Structures are given as structure tokens and as C-alpha cells.
Amino acid sequence: MLQLGDISAPCQEKEAIAAVFDLTGFTTFCNQVDSYLAIPKFLNDFLEWFFNSIKKGLTENDFGNHSTFWADFPTLVKFLGDGLLLIWHARGMTEDQICRIAATLYGVCRAYRREFYPQMSMAVNKPPSVLRCGLARGKVFSVGDGSDYVGHCINNASRLSRVGALSFGFPHRGFQVREHMPVEYRQLFIPKYVSIRGVGDNELVWVGKEEFERLPDKNKELFRSLKPVASLT
């Protein structure tokens, strides 16, 4: 019934990049008066815009009159009700590509707020105002015929989509930003230590620099620039 195939089949282990997108305020949007009039319009326009943005972000245009893709499309895309799960198989990808995917998805979140949301606000009442995203790299395990996956990195990505009051985050673990992310992208991020429920108390993550600097001082207190030194007593 779940169209997963034979769920008793042995799991296939894959190294993956998981990205969890979350539409902040989607529940409130769905609870408005006569929401059935707005939900189809929003979801149709959002999903079309979203996948076009992913395609555009993965397109390399430095080939004269031709273009090509610098990375494969996600292996799995799953609608979560108020967001999306995207999974790339990381085996065979270079560290440069992996870091660039992080920068590309950050660009999608920024474009939502700056481009899509203002336009959609003129089409439906009170659409979700922020598109959040968290990424993580790790092992995933297939369910059934590979139509779905489970793995800690998926849970980690979900939690990183809500790091403090920020809308984007990914761990230092698995993303060699300083060594492999192009300078024009690297300058968009800043490393911070933060506690993440179910992951760790002092996790080093990369967050959007511009967004972090706009945070009130009270919210910035959740983040630390230097890892605390363990007590010797």
C-alpha cells in the first residue's frame, strides 16, 4: 500500500547528502479561512519554482552556447507535507561538488525570500514567509526497492533546518568548506559552535553569514565562535 516494494529485502547502504526543506508558517497558512482556495495555487507555483531553481543551480553555463550540469539531480525527492526531502548519492562526487551543493541550496532559500515570497504574497493570503533548509552527509539505508531511505543524516538535516532562529545550516563534518568551497561561495558562510538536539552539545556548523549578523544579540548567544575548553578538574 505504501508503494515501497518488498520491505523485507536487505537494506542497501549508500553514502548520501540529505537536504530537508521546511516551509515556515505552512500550518498557519493551511488553517486560514477557506484555505482550500489557496493551497493548490501555492503548492503548484512553489513546486514548479523550487525544481526550476534546483535545475538552474545545478546548471553550468561556461560552455559557449551550450550548458551542462555540474552535478547529478537528487536520487530521491519526497514531499513531506510542509517541505521536501532531497537525497543525493555522494559516492563518486568530488568534495568541490558536495560543497557547491550546499551553496546552491542556500541560494534557493535566499531566492525564496527575495523573489518567490513577494510574488506569491500578491497571489494568495499569508503564504509561508521563509523556506528553511538543513543539510547533512552520512549513510542512508534503503527501504524496500529504494523508494525511500532512513538514516541519521536525514534526522540531522531536519534539525539543522532550525538552528536557533536561522533558516540554513550544515555541519562541518562531511563538508570541507575551507579546502574545497570556491571563495565566492565560502564568503557567504560563517562557522559556529552550537548545541543540536540529538546530535551534540558543541557541533561545528556553517550558517549564513548575512542572516547570522542580522540576529538580535539574544539569539546570537546560542552560538559560540570557539569551542569551549574542557575543564581539567
Side-chain angles (χ1 to χ4, degrees), residues 164-165 212 215-223:
F212 177 81
L215 287 179
D217 290 340
K218 183 177 181 180
N219 295 98
K220 289 182 179 178
E221 292 176 357
L222 298 173
F223 300 86

Side-chain angles (χ1 to χ4, degrees), residues 51 54-56 58-59 69 71-76 87-89:
F51 290 116
I54 296 293
K55 180 180 178 181
K56 180 179 178 181
L58 296 177
T59 301
F69 296 110
D72 291 333
F73 286 99
T75 304
L76 173 71
I87 289 181
W88 278 266
H89 287 169

Side-chain angles (χ1 to χ4, degrees), residues 1 9 14 33 35 88 90 95 100 109 114 120 125 133-134 140 153 171 200-201 218 222:
M1 293 191 305
K14 303 285 187 180
V33 176
S35 59
W88 278 266
E95 297 296 332
R100 194 171 173 184
C109 291
R114 297 178 178 182
M120 185 53 56
N125 186 44
C133 178
V140 296
C153 66
D201 292 332
K218 183 177 181 180
L222 298 173

Side-chain angles (χ1 to χ4, degrees), residues 101-116:
I101 281 179
T104 297
L105 300 187
Y106 179 58
V108 172
C109 291
R110 296 174 77 192
Y112 180 92
R113 184 177 297 186
R114 297 178 178 182
E115 301 170 13
F116 182 78

Side-chain angles (χ1 to χ4, degrees), residues 31-51:
N31 288 336
Q32 64 179 291
V33 176
D34 291 331
S35 59
Y36 74 95
L37 299 173
I39 292 174
K41 168 66 175 174
F42 173 80
L43 285 179
N44 182 75
D45 288 8
F46 167 69
L47 292 174
E48 182 177 358
W49 172 87
F50 179 82
F51 290 116

Side-chain angles (χ1 to χ4, degrees), residues 18-151:
V20 175
F21 287 86
D22 177 75
L23 288 161
T24 301
F26 189 72
T27 299
T28 302
F29 170 68
C30 292
N31 288 336
Q32 64 179 291
V33 176
D34 291 331
S35 59
Y36 74 95
L37 299 173
I39 292 174
K41 168 66 175 174
F42 173 80
L43 285 179
N44 182 75
D45 288 8
F46 167 69
L47 292 174
E48 182 177 358
W49 172 87
F50 179 82
F51 290 116
N52 282 337
S53 297
I54 296 293
K55 180 180 178 181
K56 180 179 178 181
L58 296 177
T59 301
E60 191 73 78
N61 294 313
D62 298 332
F63 292 90
N65 295 325
H66 303 284
S67 62
T68 187
F69 296 110
W70 55 264
D72 291 333
F73 286 99
T75 304
L76 173 71
V77 178
K78 183 178 180 182
F79 183 61
L80 302 176
D82 59 353
L84 293 157
L85 166 65
L86 277 64
I87 289 181
W88 278 266
H89 287 169
R91 186 175 297 276
M93 296 178 66
T94 67
E95 297 296 332
D96 297 49
Q97 288 175 313
I98 290 171
C99 287
R100 194 171 173 184
I101 281 179
T104 297
L105 300 187
Y106 179 58
V108 172
C109 291
R110 296 174 77 192
Y112 180 92
R113 184 177 297 186
R114 297 178 178 182
E115 301 170 13
F116 182 78
Y117 174 74
Q119 296 176 6
M120 185 53 56
S121 296
M122 303 300 293
V124 298
N125 186 44
K126 299 179 180 179
S129 58
V130 178
L131 178 64
R132 296 176 177 269
C133 178
L135 282 78
R137 180 179 174 183
K139 299 287 187 178
V140 296
F141 303 90
S142 64
V143 176
D145 60 4
S147 298
D148 206 348
Y149 290 91
V150 296

